[in-house]
Amino acid sequence: QITLKESGPTLVKPTQTLTLTCTFSGFSLTTTGVGVGWIRQPPGKALEWLGIIYWNGDNRYSTSLKSRLTITMDTSKNQVVLTVTNVDPLDTGTYFCAHRPAPYYTLDYWGQGTLVTVSS
Amino acid sequence: QSALTQPASVSEYPGQSITISCTGTASDVGGYNYVSWYQQHPGKAPKLMIYDVTKRPSGVSNRFSASKSGNTASLTISGLQAEDEADYYCSSYTISDTSNWVFGGGTKLTVL
């Protein structure tokens, strides 16, 4: 059974760095083709793709946010970490991590999401 | 990054069928058979309903079907039930964004 869970701060001040952790179970991020993606959703708005890390360490980031995003993985801990630098109130929203099954371009299991508010 | 275009809202009566469209370009929906559809109830995580344009994951009702024509993908829900009321998002592989992934703007389905 695949599960994912996001964790991190609920409140971050503008200009600070946001770090979120996705802890997963039921799959290995060393399996060829597997990935873990990050998606966010501002309150009342649509899903927004942020980026993904693949089994081989390759990253793909959203064009509009790539200068501020970093995704890393710790396969020994079954964790993926998202870092967003220089946050702004527009970064407020629920952040989800999700499992990408090989070899498909889809996300079949999602975490419950974690709400992050950027405010001074 | 340009989101795929979906109608903001649709509505229909229980028992009827409804189709939600998702329009992209040849760089995403039209160029690849990697369209997915997700259902999201308020306060919940999205749930995968369709992948690879037409495939249903195990456990998803066969009332949900999907197709693609040119740059537009479509999700059809037949025999609408109250529990189908939710937001629906399409996504696709894309070569127009460095992430290679893009979502639609979402469609709010109301079951009247």
Side-chain angles (χ1 to χ4, degrees):
Chain A
Q1 178 189 4
I2 290 176
T3 64
L4 304 97
K5 187 173 184 179
E6 308 85 354
S7 60
T10 58
L11 181 63
V12 183
K13 296 184 187 306
T15 76
Q16 289 186 337
T17 295
L18 168 65
T19 300
L20 295 173
T21 300
C22 175
T23 302
F24 58 86
S25 64
F27 68 95
S28 173
L29 200 39
T30 61
T31 300
T32 298
V34 170
V36 172
W38 284 94
I39 305 93
R40 72 181 181 184
Q41 186 171 37
K45 296 191 176 181
L47 299 172
E48 178 184 18
W49 182 263
L50 298 180
I52 188 168
I53 189 164
Y54 292 104
W55 84 103
N56 57 0
D58 187 26
N59 286 301
R60 292 286 186 266
Y61 298 114
S62 163
T63 299
S64 60
L65 292 167
K66 63 180 179 178
S67 64
R68 299 171 51 216
L69 299 179
T70 303
I71 300 175
T72 60
M73 63 182 184
D74 185 333
T75 54
S76 66
K77 294 182 179 179
N78 280 355
Q79 290 181 334
V80 171
V81 175
L82 169 72
T83 301
V84 185
T85 61
N86 191 26
V87 297
D88 175 90
L90 291 175
D91 295 310
T92 293
T94 298
Y95 286 71
F96 297 97
C97 62
H99 171 258
R100 183 259 186 169
Y104 305 101
Y105 279 95
T106 195
L107 302 167
D108 58 352
Y109 291 92
W110 292 62
Q112 63 190 25
T114 186
L115 177 61
V116 178
T117 300
V118 179
S119 175
S120 55
Chain B
Q1 176 185 7
S2 298
L4 306 175
T5 300
Q6 299 181 234
S9 64
V10 295
S11 60
E12 188 53 271
Y13 291 96
Q16 300 301 303
S17 296
I18 196 153
T19 297
I20 299 171
S21 62
C22 169
T23 301
T25 69
S27 296
D28 38 64
V29 174
Y32 306 90
N33 290 322
Y34 297 137
V35 176
S36 295
W37 289 91
Y38 302 90
Q39 176 192 65
Q40 186 182 33
H41 288 109
K44 300 294 186 181
K47 174 187 176 183
L48 178 64
M49 307 302 284
I50 297 286
Y51 68 100
D52 284 0
V53 180
T54 61
K55 299 176 182 176
R56 265 191 322 273
S58 175
V60 172
S61 170
N62 59 9
R63 297 186 298 103
F64 291 83
S65 62
S67 61
K68 188 185 82 168
S69 178
N71 295 336
T72 299
S74 299
L75 173 71
T76 297
I77 310 171
S78 59
L80 276 170
Q81 301 178 0
E83 67 203 48
D84 299 330
E85 183 163 299
D87 293 324
Y88 290 85
Y89 293 91
C90 61
S91 76
S92 175
Y93 176 86
T94 178
I95 59 171
S96 295
D97 189 275
T98 50
S99 71
N100 292 140
W101 297 68
V102 64
F103 280 104
T107 298
K108 168 64 177 177
L109 168 63
T110 300
V111 180
L112 300 169

